[in-house]
Amino acid sequence: MSNTERVLYFPEGKIMKTIICDDEKSTCSELEEIILKYAKEKSVSLVTEVFYSGDTLLDYLKREKINILFLDIELPGKDGVMVGKYIREVLEEENIFLIYISSKENYALQLFQNRPFDFLVKPIEAAKIYHVLDNIYRISGKNSVGFEFQTQNSTYRISYKDILYFQSTGRKINIVMKKEIRTFYGKLNEIEKRIPENVFLRIYKSYLVNKNYVKEFTYEWVKMLNGDVLNISKINRADVRRKILESAADEFKNI
């Protein structure tokens, strides 16, 4: 099913469970050594485990939580595209950093709806793995910081990674999440100044959307992960399209 679990643990910091799935054992071994070397040099805690097929990986994911997944596209049984779709749509897991690896370069558009964090082309290069892991740890740190708001004399905080979009309705702001909406009094212009500009995008006078949760888009609207379709104002259409395409291109910058 998998290799023996390998652990590199440092007393401080969250342990990141990292899975490698590739039918080439040499690639798995090389990638695992690079990841563990990174953990040792950066003094971060990692657990690694290896799988050689999409089917065995899916069985594992049904019962275990993971943080990072390096996933080959061409696998025996269920391929990497199917595994990614299962993770996002069936398990409804958006917090896994999904990094595709492949010897081919023509998969970018097929993978868009699986919302990968990055795409690496074989042969594996240590410098690129280090760059990906640096970004993961940087973003993980930012995601631990959330949006704070007050209502009824109480202060609340919601992690940015849990927010699909902000919606302005009159004097109220709705924070729309996958399964919940929280409301408070505020102005969208003020919120826009407080939140990460590389994550949220103003598409309309009433909407600030999390680019990571845009499932589909056209020139006139975006469809969010929860199925909500939000209009893009005419004045913002060219800019929104450019920024979404740039964001998608950044995910595949190594192609």
Side-chain angles (χ1 to χ4, degrees):
M1 174 180 159
S2 67
N3 287 342
T4 303
E5 185 179 84
R6 297 179 66 181
V7 182
L8 195 61
Y9 173 69
F10 292 87
E12 296 183 4
K14 175 185 176 182
I15 299 177
M16 300 283 270
K17 183 177 286 188
T18 303
I19 301 299
I20 302 164
C21 184
D22 195 306
D23 59 337
E24 296 178 355
K25 293 187 177 183
S26 60
T27 297
C28 292
S29 177
E30 181 183 5
L31 187 51
E32 188 174 34
E33 290 301 323
I34 294 171
I35 292 169
L36 291 173
K37 183 180 178 183
Y38 174 92
K40 185 176 181 179
E41 290 181 4
K42 303 284 187 175
S43 296
V44 295
S45 298
L46 279 171
V47 178
T48 61
E49 196 157 358
V50 174
F51 294 84
Y52 302 115
S53 77
D55 295 321
T56 54
L57 173 61
L58 283 181
D59 288 340
Y60 180 84
L61 292 175
K62 290 173 184 177
R63 62 181 187 275
E64 298 287 344
K65 293 288 186 181
I66 70 170
N67 305 108
I68 304 170
L69 173 58
F70 288 89
L71 179 62
D72 188 21
I73 295 176
E74 296 179 332
L75 292 167
K78 291 183 174 62
D79 64 22
V81 177
M82 296 172 67
V83 171
K85 186 175 182 179
Y86 186 89
I87 289 171
R88 300 306 195 205
E89 297 184 5
V90 178
L91 297 179
E92 296 184 329
E93 178 56 76
E94 292 294 331
N95 294 326
I96 293 175
F97 290 98
L98 173 58
I99 302 99
Y100 277 112
I101 51 179
S102 176
S103 58
K104 299 180 180 179
E105 303 181 358
N106 58 346
Y107 284 104
L109 292 178
Q110 290 177 251
L111 303 177
F112 178 79
Q113 290 194 351
N114 290 347
R115 296 174 290 285
F117 182 72
D118 215 324
F119 184 104
L120 302 176
V121 177
K122 297 177 183 178
I124 300 299
E125 296 180 18
K128 290 183 178 180
I129 301 301
Y130 272 48
H131 181 70
V132 169
L133 292 172
D134 279 344
N135 284 335
I136 287 174
Y137 276 94
R138 175 178 55 80
I139 290 171
S140 294
K142 287 184 177 180
N143 281 343
S144 64
V145 178
F147 179 79
E148 288 190 356
F149 63 98
Q150 289 187 330
T151 180
Q152 297 180 345
N153 298 319
S154 296
T155 300
Y156 300 89
R157 176 182 292 171
I158 300 175
S159 176
Y160 290 126
K161 67 181 176 59
D162 294 328
I163 300 173
L164 300 185
Y165 63 93
F166 294 90
Q167 177 188 32
S168 173
T169 56
R171 296 174 56 211
K172 293 183 179 181
I173 300 293
N174 293 325
I175 304 176
V176 181
M177 294 168 279
K178 196 185 313 184
K179 297 181 180 179
E180 183 183 4
I181 298 175
R182 302 294 296 272
T183 301
F184 67 101
Y185 288 98
K187 296 181 179 179
L188 207 60
N189 287 341
E190 294 301 318
I191 293 170
E192 188 173 14
K193 296 175 184 177
R194 295 168 49 194
I195 58 179
E197 61 180 357
N198 63 325
V199 175
F200 290 90
L201 179 63
R202 188 72 170 260
I203 65 167
Y204 198 81
K205 63 180 181 180
S206 302
Y207 299 120
L208 274 167
V209 304
N210 188 327
K211 290 188 292 185
N212 296 320
Y213 299 138
V214 173
K215 186 175 182 181
E216 299 177 30
F217 68 94
T218 70
Y219 199 62
E220 298 180 347
W221 51 260
V222 298
K223 185 175 183 179
M224 303 304 293
L225 183 65
N226 64 347
D228 290 352
V229 177
L230 310 178
N231 290 329
I232 304 172
S233 63
K234 289 183 179 179
I235 195 171
N236 287 333
R237 285 174 184 171
D239 189 51
V240 168
R241 181 177 178 84
R242 176 180 59 81
K243 288 181 178 179
I244 291 178
L245 289 173
E246 283 179 354
S247 178
D250 286 344
E251 291 174 352
F252 304 108
K253 58 185 173 292
N254 291 308
I255 292 180

Short mmCIF file of all heavy atoms in Angstrom, two decimals, residues 151-178:
data_model
loop_
_atom_site.label_atom_id
_atom_site.label_comp_id
_atom_site.label_asym_id
_atom_site.label_seq_id
_atom_site.Cartn_x
_atom_site.Cartn_y
_atom_site.Cartn_z
N THR A 151 -19.57 42.20 16.45
CA THR A 151 -21.02 42.20 16.40
C THR A 151 -21.55 41.93 17.80
O THR A 151 -21.03 41.05 18.51
CB THR A 151 -21.57 41.17 15.39
OG1 THR A 151 -23.00 41.23 15.40
CG2 THR A 151 -21.12 39.77 15.72
N GLN A 152 -22.52 42.71 18.20
CA GLN A 152 -23.12 42.56 19.53
C GLN A 152 -22.07 42.58 20.63
O GLN A 152 -22.05 41.74 21.53
CB GLN A 152 -23.97 41.29 19.60
CG GLN A 152 -25.15 41.30 18.65
CD GLN A 152 -25.98 40.05 18.70
OE1 GLN A 152 -25.54 39.04 19.25
NE2 GLN A 152 -27.18 40.09 18.15
N ASN A 153 -21.15 43.53 20.53
CA ASN A 153 -20.10 43.76 21.54
C ASN A 153 -19.13 42.59 21.70
O ASN A 153 -18.38 42.52 22.68
CB ASN A 153 -20.73 44.06 22.91
CG ASN A 153 -21.57 45.33 22.88
OD1 ASN A 153 -21.18 46.33 22.26
ND2 ASN A 153 -22.72 45.30 23.53
N SER A 154 -19.10 41.68 20.74
CA SER A 154 -18.15 40.57 20.76
C SER A 154 -17.27 40.64 19.52
O SER A 154 -17.71 41.10 18.46
CB SER A 154 -18.88 39.22 20.81
OG SER A 154 -19.62 39.11 22.01
N THR A 155 -16.02 40.17 19.65
CA THR A 155 -15.09 40.15 18.54
C THR A 155 -14.91 38.73 18.05
O THR A 155 -14.73 37.81 18.84
CB THR A 155 -13.72 40.72 18.95
OG1 THR A 155 -13.89 42.08 19.38
CG2 THR A 155 -12.74 40.71 17.78
N TYR A 156 -14.97 38.55 16.73
CA TYR A 156 -14.84 37.23 16.12
C TYR A 156 -13.70 37.26 15.11
O TYR A 156 -13.35 38.31 14.57
CB TYR A 156 -16.14 36.82 15.42
CG TYR A 156 -17.33 36.74 16.35
CD1 TYR A 156 -18.13 37.87 16.56
CD2 TYR A 156 -17.65 35.56 17.00
CE1 TYR A 156 -19.22 37.82 17.42
CE2 TYR A 156 -18.76 35.49 17.86
CZ TYR A 156 -19.53 36.62 18.05
OH TYR A 156 -20.61 36.57 18.90
N ARG A 157 -13.15 36.08 14.83
CA ARG A 157 -12.10 35.96 13.82
C ARG A 157 -12.40 34.75 12.94
O ARG A 157 -12.68 33.66 13.45
CB ARG A 157 -10.72 35.81 14.45
CG ARG A 157 -9.62 35.57 13.40
CD ARG A 157 -8.27 35.37 14.06
NE ARG A 157 -7.78 36.59 14.69
CZ ARG A 157 -6.70 36.63 15.47
NH1 ARG A 157 -6.03 35.53 15.71
NH2 ARG A 157 -6.32 37.77 16.00
N ILE A 158 -12.33 34.95 11.63
CA ILE A 158 -12.52 33.87 10.67
C ILE A 158 -11.27 33.79 9.80
O ILE A 158 -10.82 34.79 9.25
CB ILE A 158 -13.75 34.10 9.77
CG1 ILE A 158 -15.02 34.19 10.62
CG2 ILE A 158 -13.90 32.99 8.73
CD1 ILE A 158 -16.26 34.54 9.83
N SER A 159 -10.69 32.61 9.68
CA SER A 159 -9.49 32.43 8.86
C SER A 159 -9.81 32.78 7.42
O SER A 159 -10.88 32.45 6.89
CB SER A 159 -9.01 30.98 8.95
OG SER A 159 -7.91 30.77 8.10
N TYR A 160 -8.87 33.46 6.76
CA TYR A 160 -9.08 33.84 5.37
C TYR A 160 -9.35 32.64 4.47
O TYR A 160 -10.09 32.72 3.49
CB TYR A 160 -7.87 34.61 4.84
CG TYR A 160 -7.70 35.98 5.44
CD1 TYR A 160 -6.51 36.36 6.04
CD2 TYR A 160 -8.74 36.91 5.40
CE1 TYR A 160 -6.35 37.63 6.59
CE2 TYR A 160 -8.60 38.18 5.95
CZ TYR A 160 -7.40 38.52 6.55
OH TYR A 160 -7.26 39.77 7.09
N LYS A 161 -8.74 31.51 4.79
CA LYS A 161 -8.92 30.32 3.95
C LYS A 161 -10.33 29.76 4.01
O LYS A 161 -10.72 28.94 3.17
CB LYS A 161 -7.92 29.24 4.33
CG LYS A 161 -8.11 28.63 5.70
CD LYS A 161 -7.05 27.59 6.00
CE LYS A 161 -7.17 27.04 7.40
NZ LYS A 161 -8.47 26.39 7.67
N ASP A 162 -11.13 30.20 4.99
CA ASP A 162 -12.51 29.73 5.11
C ASP A 162 -13.53 30.66 4.45
O ASP A 162 -14.71 30.35 4.40
CB ASP A 162 -12.88 29.55 6.59
CG ASP A 162 -12.08 28.46 7.27
OD1 ASP A 162 -11.74 27.48 6.57
OD2 ASP A 162 -11.79 28.58 8.47
N ILE A 163 -13.07 31.80 3.95
CA ILE A 163 -13.98 32.80 3.38
C ILE A 163 -14.03 32.67 1.86
O ILE A 163 -13.01 32.75 1.18
CB ILE A 163 -13.52 34.23 3.76
CG1 ILE A 163 -13.52 34.38 5.29
CG2 ILE A 163 -14.44 35.27 3.11
CD1 ILE A 163 -12.93 35.70 5.76
N LEU A 164 -15.24 32.46 1.33
CA LEU A 164 -15.42 32.42 -0.13
C LEU A 164 -15.50 33.83 -0.71
O LEU A 164 -14.84 34.14 -1.70
CB LEU A 164 -16.69 31.65 -0.49
CG LEU A 164 -16.78 30.19 -0.06
CD1 LEU A 164 -18.06 29.57 -0.62
CD2 LEU A 164 -15.58 29.40 -0.52
N TYR A 165 -16.33 34.68 -0.07
CA TYR A 165 -16.41 36.06 -0.53
C TYR A 165 -17.11 36.94 0.51
O TYR A 165 -17.79 36.45 1.42
CB TYR A 165 -17.11 36.19 -1.88
CG TYR A 165 -18.57 35.76 -1.93
CD1 TYR A 165 -19.60 36.68 -1.74
CD2 TYR A 165 -18.91 34.44 -2.23
CE1 TYR A 165 -20.93 36.29 -1.83
CE2 TYR A 165 -20.24 34.05 -2.32
CZ TYR A 165 -21.25 34.98 -2.11
OH TYR A 165 -22.57 34.59 -2.18
N PHE A 166 -16.87 38.24 0.39
CA PHE A 166 -17.58 39.25 1.17
C PHE A 166 -18.65 39.86 0.28
O PHE A 166 -18.41 40.15 -0.89
CB PHE A 166 -16.64 40.36 1.63
CG PHE A 166 -15.58 39.94 2.61
CD1 PHE A 166 -14.34 39.48 2.17
CD2 PHE A 166 -15.81 40.02 3.98
CE1 PHE A 166 -13.36 39.13 3.06
CE2 PHE A 166 -14.83 39.66 4.89
CZ PHE A 166 -13.60 39.21 4.44
N GLN A 167 -19.84 40.09 0.86
CA GLN A 167 -20.94 40.69 0.12
C GLN A 167 -21.50 41.87 0.91
O GLN A 167 -21.79 41.76 2.10
CB GLN A 167 -22.05 39.67 -0.11
CG GLN A 167 -23.28 40.24 -0.82
CD GLN A 167 -24.43 39.25 -0.84
OE1 GLN A 167 -24.59 38.46 0.08
NE2 GLN A 167 -25.22 39.30 -1.90
N SER A 168 -21.62 42.99 0.23
CA SER A 168 -22.20 44.18 0.86
C SER A 168 -23.68 44.27 0.52
O SER A 168 -24.06 44.19 -0.65
CB SER A 168 -21.47 45.44 0.35
OG SER A 168 -22.12 46.60 0.82
N THR A 169 -24.51 44.43 1.55
CA THR A 169 -25.96 44.61 1.36
C THR A 169 -26.40 45.76 2.26
O THR A 169 -26.61 45.57 3.46
CB THR A 169 -26.75 43.33 1.71
OG1 THR A 169 -26.44 42.94 3.06
CG2 THR A 169 -26.39 42.19 0.78
N GLY A 170 -26.50 46.94 1.66
CA GLY A 170 -26.82 48.10 2.47
C GLY A 170 -25.68 48.42 3.41
O GLY A 170 -24.53 48.53 3.00
N ARG A 171 -25.98 48.53 4.70
CA ARG A 171 -24.96 48.82 5.71
C ARG A 171 -24.34 47.54 6.25
O ARG A 171 -23.41 47.60 7.07
CB ARG A 171 -25.58 49.61 6.86
CG ARG A 171 -26.08 51.00 6.46
CD ARG A 171 -26.80 51.67 7.61
NE ARG A 171 -25.94 51.73 8.79
CZ ARG A 171 -26.38 51.68 10.04
NH1 ARG A 171 -27.68 51.52 10.27
NH2 ARG A 171 -25.55 51.77 11.05
N LYS A 172 -24.81 46.39 5.82
CA LYS A 172 -24.34 45.12 6.36
C LYS A 172 -23.35 44.44 5.41
O LYS A 172 -23.41 44.61 4.20
CB LYS A 172 -25.51 44.19 6.63
CG LYS A 172 -26.42 44.65 7.75
CD LYS A 172 -27.53 43.63 8.01
CE LYS A 172 -28.43 44.09 9.16
NZ LYS A 172 -29.51 43.09 9.44
N ILE A 173 -22.45 43.65 6.00
CA ILE A 173 -21.51 42.84 5.25
C ILE A 173 -21.77 41.37 5.57
O ILE A 173 -21.82 40.99 6.75
CB ILE A 173 -20.05 43.18 5.61
CG1 ILE A 173 -19.73 44.64 5.30
CG2 ILE A 173 -19.09 42.24 4.87
CD1 ILE A 173 -19.74 44.99 3.84
N ASN A 174 -21.95 40.57 4.54
CA ASN A 174 -22.06 39.12 4.71
C ASN A 174 -20.71 38.48 4.42
O ASN A 174 -20.11 38.73 3.37
CB ASN A 174 -23.11 38.53 3.76
CG ASN A 174 -24.51 38.98 4.09
OD1 ASN A 174 -24.85 39.17 5.26
ND2 ASN A 174 -25.33 39.17 3.08
N ILE A 175 -20.23 37.67 5.36
CA ILE A 175 -19.04 36.85 5.12
C ILE A 175 -19.54 35.48 4.72
O ILE A 175 -20.09 34.73 5.54
CB ILE A 175 -18.15 36.74 6.37
CG1 ILE A 175 -17.75 38.13 6.86
CG2 ILE A 175 -16.91 35.91 6.06
CD1 ILE A 175 -16.95 38.10 8.16
N VAL A 176 -19.41 35.13 3.44
CA VAL A 176 -19.97 33.89 2.92
C VAL A 176 -18.89 32.80 2.97
O VAL A 176 -17.83 32.92 2.36
CB VAL A 176 -20.49 34.07 1.49
CG1 VAL A 176 -21.09 32.77 0.96
CG2 VAL A 176 -21.53 35.20 1.44
N MET A 177 -19.19 31.74 3.70
CA MET A 177 -18.34 30.56 3.76
C MET A 177 -19.05 29.40 3.08
O MET A 177 -20.16 29.56 2.58
CB MET A 177 -18.00 30.25 5.23
CG MET A 177 -17.15 31.35 5.87
SD MET A 177 -17.01 31.19 7.67
CE MET A 177 -18.57 31.93 8.18
N LYS A 178 -18.43 28.24 3.08
CA LYS A 178 -19.00 27.12 2.35
C LYS A 178 -20.36 26.70 2.92
O LYS A 178 -21.29 26.40 2.19
CB LYS A 178 -18.04 25.94 2.37
CG LYS A 178 -18.36 24.88 1.33
CD LYS A 178 -17.50 23.64 1.42
CE LYS A 178 -16.04 23.93 1.56
NZ LYS A 178 -15.21 22.71 1.56
#
